[in-house]
Amino acid sequence: MKKLIYISAFLVLLGTAVSCDRNLDEINKDQSRINTPVASSLLLPVQYNMASVGYNRANDFTFDLMQVSLDFPNEGNSLSRYYITENTGSGFWNNSYRWLKQVDDLKKAAIDEGDKNYEAIALVLNAWIYSNLTDTYGDIPFSEALKLDEGILQPKFDRQKDIYVKLLDDLKTANSLFITNKVLTGNDLFYKAESDANGITNWKKFCNSLSLRLLTRILSKNGEVNVHARIQEIIGNPTVYPIFQSNADGAKLDISGVSPLMPPIARPQDFTTGRAASEFFVSTLKNNNDPRLAMFFSQAKDLNNVNIGYKGAPSGYPFGTTFDYQPSNLNQNLAKAPLKILMYPYAELQFILSELAFKGIIQGSAQTYYENGVKAAIEQWGAVVPANYFSNSNVAYQPNMERIMLQKYVALFFVDQQQWFEKRRTGFPVLPDNGGLLNGGAMPKRLMYPPNPKVLNTANYQAAVQQMGGDDVNVRMWWNK
């Protein structure tokens, strides 16, 4: 696993000598902490670090499960063979809760300062991070989490349904809080809302587009939750509920390579060492005549080190397989600055709208939304859509979920764990079992809880396991297909 490189958000404050007449309360204060933080000081560290967590999560986890890349050569247990332990998600769990605490501090500071925009931003960030956590594990600490100051050391695990309902309510609240004719008092890495007049409007678009992501994920639970009605409320009133309208609106972080905006992977060679591109993902792009092939991959080589075009290795290949070629690898430029970390691209929203139109939940042309998504996914990488692209039978719109979701899968390249979540929700894309997969060839439906809650919050962990029906990768969570 590649190591996430953190950039410190705060200066270390040097303590002074303590005189004998200082009282114990003053002595026991942590002099390295900002005891009364202001909202403007709290946003950037969350943005950079959680964007980096998502980038690394795609690289270290999603790529392997979703046949984008694989450990190569590999004859043992590996993630690309569906070998998962309780430690597989430990870093993700710990980092998410670490930065959720700062989001909570941001919200409290914003309320104290009467800053509605920072309060709304905190609600959006909270929903973004928590939704990824619950979609990874199922039931998680939520309503009682982050309350150490209130004496809650062992928070209960909330049910996923209850978490979703609260996050969706929070996003609706956030939408109502944004004041779009004001700028932020501090810097903003996502939308430059401190200087761009459209910055807060783009935050509002992120808010409502995130609502549509979560609502689409729980489409099967319409009835338990008013999913269709909420979707129609958002789509039917774009003035009140604006959503992404172009690639410029999508949630992303530009990594310049100038400190502190450094790439999450410190050494680009670590990005390609001991791995190969997966045959499924390479073949999908080759069949599409995709203009991003060279952006995403290196060429394969024969045993004489001669380029033979783009050719991946089959994920989960049978043990004992020998190769007469060196497979394509991922392009090291994907780990070098300048680069964009994608949190929620406009293309993803277009595929959401295509699915909703295809299923008759909203008005509009499923084909138009689909084609918009395909084009946006290419253009967000700086590539040009070929003039005849949709005349290719592998790309042309077909009124079925398999075609929509295959192209959504490609569009979600490098977007944290979204490929995996959508595969679990819909069953698409159909990934091949090449003969060496573990877990009976079944895609894991969740991750096991990491060691920390088992050891430090045992009673509530055990209650969560009982209410979910177990703690293994095949346990079906609330919305899972």
Side-chain angles (χ1 to χ4, degrees), residues 13 82 94 117 129 223 236 238 252 264 330 393 422 472:
L13 303 180
Y82 300 167
N94 294 337
N117 281 332
I129 300 170
K252 57 188 177 296
L330 293 173
S393 61
E422 290 295 87
D472 67 67

Side-chain angles (χ1 to χ4, degrees), residues 4 6-10 42-51 53 93-106 125-126 129 146:
L4 179 61
Y6 291 108
I7 292 182
S8 175
F10 303 105
L42 298 172
L43 178 58
L44 268 66
V46 176
Q47 290 180 303
Y48 174 82
N49 283 288
M50 282 311 301
V53 167
W93 175 283
N94 294 337
N95 282 313
S96 295
Y97 277 109
R98 173 187 178 185
W99 293 106
L100 279 166
K101 179 64 174 80
Q102 183 136 327
V103 171
D104 189 54
D105 290 343
L106 170 61
L125 293 174
N126 192 71
I129 300 170
L146 315 175

Side-chain angles (χ1 to χ4, degrees), residues 387-401:
N388 61 347
Y389 198 62
F390 291 101
S391 64
N392 183 337
S393 61
N394 293 306
V395 182
Y397 175 75
Q398 293 180 6
N400 59 61
M401 281 292 291

Side-chain angles (χ1 to χ4, degrees), residues 158-189:
D158 294 78
R159 295 180 183 272
Q160 187 174 53
K161 175 184 175 180
D162 297 332
I163 296 169
Y164 257 79
V165 169
K166 182 62 167 68
L167 295 181
L168 287 165
D169 286 346
D170 284 350
L171 288 170
K172 189 170 185 177
T173 298
N175 178 73
S176 69
L177 289 172
F178 281 116
I179 304 172
T180 56
N181 62 356
K182 291 184 66 177
V183 296
L184 292 182
T185 55
N187 293 326
D188 165 28
L189 297 179

Side-chain angles (χ1 to χ4, degrees), residues 48 52 253-258 261-264 336-341:
Y48 174 82
S52 297
L253 175 60
D254 289 316
I255 295 295
S256 64
V258 178
L261 294 176
M262 303 298 290
K336 297 177 181 178
L339 61 85
K340 294 183 187 296
I341 298 179

Side-chain angles (χ1 to χ4, degrees), residues 364-473:
S365 167
Q367 178 174 350
T368 299
Y369 289 130
Y370 168 86
E371 292 179 354
N372 288 344
V374 171
K375 292 175 183 176
I378 292 173
E379 291 171 350
Q380 73 188 5
W381 290 96
V384 177
V385 181
N388 61 347
Y389 198 62
F390 291 101
S391 64
N392 183 337
S393 61
N394 293 306
V395 182
Y397 175 75
Q398 293 180 6
N400 59 61
M401 281 292 291
E402 184 168 7
R403 176 53 54 92
I404 294 170
M405 295 308 298
L406 179 61
Q407 292 302 320
K408 187 176 184 181
Y409 159 76
V410 174
L412 290 172
F413 176 66
F414 246 125
V415 185
D416 55 67
Q417 300 177 126
Q418 298 304 313
Q419 287 179 331
W420 179 49
F421 296 157
E422 290 295 87
K423 165 68 173 175
R424 288 161 39 206
R425 178 178 71 89
T426 67
F428 298 116
V430 178
L431 300 173
D433 182 345
N434 294 306
L437 293 177
L438 305 176
N439 198 42
M443 174 64 69
K445 292 181 170 62
R446 61 181 291 273
L447 290 187
M448 293 176 282
Y449 294 117
N452 273 356
K454 294 182 183 181
V455 175
L456 303 177
N457 194 8
T458 305
N460 287 312
Y461 159 76
Q462 291 174 343
V465 170
Q466 184 173 7
Q467 74 186 12
M468 284 193 65
D471 183 18
D472 67 67
V473 298

